[in-house]
Amino acid sequence: MGIVAGLDSAPDFTRIVVCDTDTGAVLRQGYAPHPVESPDGGGTRPSDVDPQAWLLSLGEAAGGGLLEGVQAIGVSAQQNAVVPLDAQGNTVRPAMVGGDKRAQVAAADLIDALGGREAWAQAVGCVPQAAQPVTKLRWLAKTEPENAVRAAVLMQAHDWLVWQLLGRPVRRTTDRGGASGTGYWSAATGTYRGDLVELALGHQAMLPEVIGPAEAAGTTPEGLLISAGTGETMAAAFGLGIGLGDAVVSLGASGSVMAVHPEALVDSSGMITSLADATGMHLPVVTTLNAVRTLRGTAELLGVPDLESLSDLAMKSTPGAHGLVLLPYLEGERTPNLPHTAGTLAGLRRESMKPEHLARAAFEGMLCGLADALDVLRGRGVEVRRIFLLGAVAELSAVQAAAPALFGAQVVVPQPADYAAIGAARQAAWALGVSQGTLDPRTPPVWQGAAAQVLEPGEELAVGQAVRQQFVSVRDQTHPGAFRP
């Protein structure tokens, strides 16, 4: 019985879990914040972070002998970070991380330069967004041309960390999951599009070799095996243990829906981002701009102190909120593609004008918006039998009461845990097992599933579908033709 470690380098911290190789049980863990200021929220330029900060917090998180006896390490890291290196392997400038309002212009430039959204969807399975690496390269070329010229090697956060752990070898590697989010690697063909790097950056650059899910990136001088690593999204999906028939709905300020699928989906509308997962399968993702921000806005409007109180208030109403329907497009919306619209409150009658009905409509509107995103995937043949619901608000009674019937599927609410770090550890166990000849490179190790609440639609299904239809009617009447799942 061996032990492995999973390391998750998130935007603000590093978390490490040490797990039993056979069962996945977490034996010990470490944590350290990155020694950097929070990325600026102004969005005037990409947030810059010296990648050495990631190494410093890694060292701190691993202190106290945390990694003693560990045989292999997997690395998960924030997605969309670009680390441009010169020909000698030194950073040309700090890593560009997170989102950036100014890069929206670069994204629009790139979309036009290739011939539109459909051309990008066909090329790499996604349409450039402000946060994506390919867009950041365009921003770099336009804003810091001298740095763009010096950028000879392009790495993402997890690629760079793996490379550092291995002692900066000549060979640089990445995995399918991380590569699929760059905007210059196609999950459908499994190949880089160097022409798109050139389109964005102005010249070709060296890119990490994409290795298989169970392959090792290498071994440290001390004999520690380092697995391929992957992006946080893919690592969390792997840590949760999702498979075919499963979807994950993440409730942050904005929302996302992803599901496991055997093939890459090309979506000419650009609503689906076609990512690869950490196992050799695919992970189509649909995002909405409005999830928990809908609830926070409603709480402020009603003068309610917190989201728990908003949930309690909503539970005093009934399904359908006495006819109130909230289209929660407060920031515009991506799904459906209505970037310049605003939210809509419909169905106002004297009897529905009560705080509890508006509270209920906010929860139902948020969940119906995510059900729309689910329908985009279902409409493309993605099977969804079970939905994992993530995010702090997944614990709220109003969410749990409405979600199964509105989604039309079993809903699983996992207990909070470091799923990205656990997924990275599971990848390390897989690579270790393959290297020792005890595991098949096509079949990951079976670990115990996440502890979770399981919620069934049950007798509420018909009522939930009626509420959903009420939402769809208002949506189609207000924005005719905007939504074609």
Side-chain angles (χ1 to χ4, degrees), residues 158-159 173-180 209-211 228-231 277-278 427:
H158 89 262
D159 312 337
T173 61
T174 189
D175 87 308
R176 300 167 65 254
S180 67
E209 177 190 344
V210 181
I211 62 176
T230 195
D277 80 346
Q427 186 195 64

Side-chain angles (χ1 to χ4, degrees), residues 16 102 175 184 221 234 274 296 310 357 376 383-384 388 444 473:
I16 301 174
R102 184 185 290 183
D175 87 308
Y184 44 82
M234 300 79 191
S274 195
R296 295 204 185 284
L310 187 72
H357 302 323
V376 172
E383 187 180 11
V384 179
F388 286 77
S473 298

Side-chain angles (χ1 to χ4, degrees), residues 64-65 69 111 155 163 175 223-224 233 255 262 286 306 320 452:
I111 292 168
M155 302 186 89
W163 184 58
D175 87 308
L224 195 61
T233 298
V286 180
D306 52 43

Side-chain angles (χ1 to χ4, degrees), residues 16 22 39 90 109 117 134 175 198 227 237 242 252 258 371 422 443:
I16 301 174
D22 297 327
N90 302 311
D109 278 354
R117 297 169 69 85
V134 72
D175 87 308
E198 189 166 349
S227 63
I242 67 168
M258 64 180 177
I422 291 167
T443 311

Side-chain angles (χ1 to χ4, degrees), residues 28-75:
R28 47 186 193 259
Q29 45 197 317
Y31 167 88
H34 294 326
V36 290
E37 294 175 15
S38 301
D40 75 57
T44 53
R45 54 177 291 151
S47 302
D48 292 344
V49 173
D50 181 350
Q52 293 296 330
W54 306 334
L55 281 182
L56 288 170
S57 76
L58 191 168
E60 191 180 332
L66 184 78
L67 299 179
E68 204 170 304
V70 163
Q71 296 166 278
I73 296 178
V75 177

Side-chain angles (χ1 to χ4, degrees), residues 441-453:
R442 294 161 300 183
T443 311
V446 178
W447 277 12
Q448 57 201 21
Q453 277 177 280

Side-chain angles (χ1 to χ4, degrees), residues 71-74 162-163 165-167 169 171-174 211 214-229 428 431-432 435:
Q71 296 166 278
I73 296 178
V162 164
W163 184 58
L165 289 172
L166 290 172
R171 183 192 190 211
R172 299 177 178 93
T173 61
T174 189
I211 62 176
E215 277 186 71
T219 306
T220 67
E222 299 77 30
L224 195 61
L225 184 139
I226 309 291
S227 63
L432 181 67
S435 75

Side-chain angles (χ1 to χ4, degrees), residues 37-363:
E37 294 175 15
S38 301
D40 75 57
T44 53
R45 54 177 291 151
S47 302
D48 292 344
V49 173
D50 181 350
Q52 293 296 330
W54 306 334
L55 281 182
L56 288 170
S57 76
L58 191 168
E60 191 180 332
L66 184 78
L67 299 179
E68 204 170 304
V70 163
Q71 296 166 278
I73 296 178
V75 177
S76 150
Q78 59 180 306
Q79 285 152 244
N80 295 327
V82 181
V83 187
L85 305 176
D86 63 19
Q88 286 71 48
N90 302 311
T91 50
V92 167
R93 66 177 318 286
M96 296 180 284
V97 303
D100 167 41
K101 294 276 173 68
R102 184 185 290 183
Q104 287 171 349
V105 175
D109 278 354
L110 280 176
I111 292 168
D112 291 344
L114 195 64
R117 297 169 69 85
E118 189 165 353
W120 278 95
Q122 293 287 345
V124 286
C126 61
V127 178
Q129 303 291 331
Q132 271 185 306
V134 72
T135 305
K136 290 186 169 110
L137 297 182
R138 180 71 157 201
W139 181 91
L140 190 66
K142 295 287 186 186
T143 314
E144 301 176 6
E146 66 291 346
N147 284 334
V149 168
R150 289 176 56 217
V153 182
L154 301 175
M155 302 186 89
Q156 293 186 86
H158 89 262
D159 312 337
W160 187 85
L161 283 165
V162 164
W163 184 58
Q164 295 290 332
L165 289 172
L166 290 172
R168 298 163 60 105
V170 173
R171 183 192 190 211
R172 299 177 178 93
T173 61
T174 189
D175 87 308
R176 300 167 65 254
S180 67
T182 58
Y184 44 82
W185 185 86
S186 165
T189 63
T191 55
Y192 279 118
R193 288 288 302 264
D195 57 321
L196 300 183
V197 174
E198 189 166 349
L199 181 69
L201 189 61
H203 62 89
Q204 294 280 357
M206 188 177 288
L207 302 168
E209 177 190 344
V210 181
I211 62 176
E215 277 186 71
T219 306
T220 67
E222 299 77 30
L224 195 61
L225 184 139
I226 309 291
S227 63
T230 195
E232 271 188 321
T233 298
M234 300 79 191
F238 198 40
L240 280 166
I242 67 168
L244 288 173
D246 292 335
V248 176
V249 173
S250 294
L251 300 170
S254 53
S256 70
V257 176
M258 64 180 177
V260 179
H261 198 57
E263 59 193 31
L265 296 177
V266 174
D267 173 45
S268 59
S269 73
M271 281 197 288
I272 298 174
T273 298
S274 195
L275 300 177
D277 80 346
T279 73
M281 302 284 273
H282 293 267
L283 206 60
V285 179
V286 180
T287 57
T288 69
L289 294 181
N290 302 279
V292 178
R293 62 167 42 101
T294 306
L295 304 182
R296 295 204 185 284
T298 306
E300 286 174 22
L301 181 66
L302 292 174
V304 174
D306 52 43
L307 297 184
E308 289 78 7
S309 304
L310 187 72
S311 172
D312 293 343
L313 187 61
M315 293 301 285
K316 294 176 181 173
S317 181
T318 52
H322 272 247
L324 274 191
V325 175
L326 178 64
L327 301 183
Y329 307 150
L330 309 184
E331 294 278 317
E333 191 46 85
R334 274 190 66 187
T335 308
N337 187 26
L338 298 166
H340 307 300
T341 195
T344 303
L345 184 62
L348 282 170
R349 300 180 187 276
R350 179 64 193 89
E351 62 271 19
S352 65
M353 296 175 75
K354 292 183 178 176
E356 60 265 32
H357 302 323
L358 179 54
R360 181 85 188 198
F363 281 96

